Amino acid sequence: MRPLFALLLLALVSIGSTVAPAAERSGSTAPLVLAQQTFDPPPTGQRGGNQRPPRRGGSSHGLDPLVGFGIGFGVGIAIDALTRPRDDGRELPPLNPPPDPGQTRQPPRNPIVYVSLPNPAPLPPPRPLTDAAAAGGQPPGEFRAGEVMVSLDLQAGADAPAQIAQDFNLLLLRETLIGLTGQRLVVYTIPDPRSVDEVETALTADPRPSAVQKNFVYRLGGEIVRGSMAAGQYALRAMHVAAAHEMARGRGVTIAVIDSAVASDHPEFAGAIAAAYDAAGYGLKVPEPHGTSVAGIIAARGGLVGVAPEARLLAVRAFWREGADGPVTSSSEVIARAIDWAVANGAQVLNLSFTGPRDALVARLLEEARKRGAIAVAAAGNNGPGSAPLYPAALEGVIAVTATDSRDALFAKANRGSYVDIAAPGVDILSPAPNADYQVISGTSMATAHISGLAALLIETQAQRQPDADVAIGAIAGSARDLGAPGRDPEFGAGLADAESMLTNGATAAAAKAR
C-alpha cells in the first residue's frame, strides 16, 4: 500500500496549491540528488548548480487543479521508483569508498621528472685496473655498456639534449630533472662501434655539458648464508640497543632505504613504511631479500626489533635483477634519481648498503644532501682486504661501516682502509625476507643498516638541532668500543658501535636523559 498511499497524498496536496517545481519540495530533493551523484554525474566541466531552474509561476485558470493533480501523480511515481528496493542485484556504491588497505601509500610529488626506463643493456665484464687509473687512485669500475651521461644546466635550453644527440650521432635514452643540483641528467646510447671512452672524451670538449661521465654500475653488499637462527638478534645485545631504547626509538625520524625492492607487506613493517618510490623502473617490482633485510634491521616492529623501530622508512627501489638469475645491480643514473627523491621527501638518514667506483655525479648529490642535513651511511664493501676503496663509503662526509660477527671478529670479506669509520654486527644477521619469511644474511650492508638505526636514535635525542654527518660520526665513533689495534685502525675504524654509550656520553647526555 506504500506506493498507492504516496501517489494519493501528493495528488490531493497538489490540487489546492499553485504549481511548484518538484525540485523545491523537500520530500523529493534527497533521493533525486542521491541518484544523480551515484549514477548520473554531470558531464566533465559542467556544474549542477548552473542548470537552469524550472520556470516558476502560477496560473489562475481552472486548469490548475488538473495540472497539479497530474504533476503530483508523476512525482509520486518518481518517488516510488527511487525508493523501491532494487531487484537487479546492484548495490549503491559508497559516496567516499575507503582506500584499499593493500595499496602502497604514494609519496607526494617532487621536482623529479620520472621517465619510464627501458630494459637495461647487458652489464660489461669487470675491467682490470689500468696503470693510469692506479696512478690516480681510481678503483676499477663497471659501467653500462654503450651508455654515456651528461649533466646540463637549465640555461642550456630545452633543445640542448636533442641537439647534442644530433651533433655527436647519439641516441637520447632518458632525461631527468635532478632537484638537488637544478640540472638535467641526460643519458645517451652509442649506436655505432665507438667506445664509451671515445664518446666521453668528445663530449667533454663541448661547452654545453657541465659534466660528462660513464653510467657506472653499483652492486649490493650482502649475501644470504646458511646460518643458525639460535643466536637470534645478537646485534642488539652487542650494541646495547635495549638500554638505548629507554631513551630513544627513532620516533619521527625519516630514513631512506635506497636498495632493492622491500617486501612492504611483511608483518615486520606494519606502519613502518611512510612512502615508497621506484627509481629504477625496470620490470616488475618483485621484493628482494637484500632490501627487505636492510629495512627490517632498521625498523622491524613485529617479532623482531629494529634498531630504530619507530622510525619512518622511505622504501626507494634503486636496484633490479639482471635477467632471471643475474646479479641485482643499479647505475649512476638511477642512484642519482633515488637520492634526489629521498632528500626531496624529507630523508634525514640515507642508508646506502651498496658499493661502486668513484662517481662524480653521486658524490655531488651526496654533498648537496649533506648541506640539507641528510646523514649518509654506506657499506665499506665486501671485496676483501686487498680491495681498493669502494664508494660512496670512501667519500668525505659519508659514514663508512664495516661488519663484525657475534664474537666481535671482523667479517672475512670486509674491505679494509683508512676510510672505514665504524664497525657494527653484520654476520649471520636474522632479518625479514620476502613472502613473510625470515632469513640469515651477512655483509657490510647489514652493518650499515645498524648504524643508520643508531643515527636515527641520535637525531631523536637532538630534536632541537639536526646533527650533521660530522656530529653523528663523532658521537657514534666517540662512544665505540675499541677493537683490534689500539685506537682507530683500518679494519674496525673507531671500533664497535654502542647505542647506549652514544646516547649517554658527551653532548648527547643531557638530551638523552631528558627524554
Side-chain angles (χ1 to χ4, degrees), residues 6-417:
L7 294 177
L8 292 176
L9 179 62
L10 282 169
L12 290 174
V13 171
S14 62
I15 290 176
S17 63
T18 302
V19 178
E24 292 180 349
R25 299 186 186 276
S26 60
S28 62
T29 300
L32 285 174
V33 172
L34 176 62
Q36 182 182 13
Q37 287 180 338
T38 54
F39 293 107
D40 300 306
T44 303
Q46 295 185 11
R47 296 166 54 189
N50 290 337
Q51 295 176 353
R52 173 188 288 184
R55 289 187 60 186
R56 296 188 57 119
S59 173
S60 59
H61 295 290
L63 290 177
D64 284 351
L66 181 60
V67 172
F69 181 85
I71 291 175
F73 191 82
V75 171
I77 293 176
I79 293 175
D80 180 67
L82 289 171
T83 57
R84 180 183 303 161
R86 308 184 70 90
D87 57 3
D88 58 2
R90 292 192 300 168
E91 296 181 358
L92 285 174
L95 293 179
N96 295 298
D100 182 359
Q103 184 177 7
T104 303
R105 178 179 175 267
Q106 294 299 315
R109 299 298 295 173
N110 60 83
I112 297 174
V113 178
Y114 180 70
V115 180
S116 295
L117 307 182
N119 291 330
L123 276 176
R127 300 180 301 117
L129 180 62
T130 64
D131 292 340
Q138 172 71 26
E142 300 169 287
F143 51 85
R144 307 298 305 181
E147 291 186 2
V148 65
M149 297 194 309
V150 304
S151 295
L152 294 171
D153 294 330
L154 297 183
Q155 293 86 343
D159 297 333
Q163 290 172 352
I164 291 174
Q166 182 177 358
D167 294 345
F168 290 88
N169 189 28
L170 301 172
L171 296 179
L172 195 159
L173 288 182
R174 300 171 293 276
E175 59 177 296
T176 304
L177 175 63
I178 301 297
L180 277 173
T181 59
Q183 293 180 317
R184 277 178 292 170
L185 180 63
V186 186
V187 182
Y188 298 97
T189 187
I190 306 168
D192 50 54
R194 289 175 296 168
S195 69
V196 175
D197 286 326
E198 181 182 354
V199 174
E200 184 180 358
T201 300
L203 285 168
T204 302
D206 191 278
R208 288 169 291 187
S210 59
V212 181
Q213 71 167 69
K214 299 174 178 66
N215 198 2
F216 288 110
V217 170
Y218 286 82
R219 295 185 180 275
L220 296 172
E223 57 184 20
I224 301 174
V225 297
R226 293 184 179 276
S228 171
M229 291 191 181
Q233 291 187 274
Y234 78 87
L236 302 184
R237 295 193 297 273
M239 297 190 300
H240 302 132
V241 172
H245 281 174
E246 296 180 3
M247 295 172 275
R249 295 173 61 86
R251 187 180 301 112
V253 181
T254 302
I255 305 175
V257 176
I258 299 177
D259 213 289
S260 57
V262 175
S264 57
D265 59 348
H266 198 291
E268 295 290 348
F269 299 130
I273 299 178
Y277 176 62
D278 183 11
Y282 294 120
L284 299 175
K285 307 176 187 67
V286 179
E288 291 282 348
H290 193 277
T292 304
S293 173
V294 168
I297 292 169
I298 295 172
R301 54 189 65 184
L304 300 179
V305 178
V307 179
E310 294 185 21
R312 303 169 66 253
L313 295 184
L314 302 179
V316 187
R317 177 180 177 258
F319 284 77
W320 65 93
R321 186 171 294 280
E322 298 277 348
D325 300 315
V328 180
T329 63
S330 188
S331 67
S332 303
E333 172 199 6
V334 175
I335 295 296
R337 184 183 291 115
I339 294 171
D340 195 40
W341 182 90
V343 176
N345 284 271
Q348 297 163 277
V349 179
L350 303 174
N351 188 92
L352 312 175
S353 290
F354 53 81
T355 58
R358 187 193 301 271
D359 188 325
L361 172 65
V362 171
R364 181 177 180 189
L365 290 176
L366 288 177
E367 179 60 29
E368 291 296 328
R370 182 183 182 186
K371 292 177 182 178
R372 288 163 171 76
I375 298 172
V377 186
N382 304 329
N383 287 11
S387 171
L390 293 178
Y391 295 82
L395 292 172
E396 187 70 25
V398 174
I399 302 176
V401 187
T402 191
T404 56
D405 62 17
S406 60
R407 297 172 298 174
D408 296 341
L410 190 68
F411 179 42
K413 295 182 179 180
N415 278 37
R416 276 73 159 173

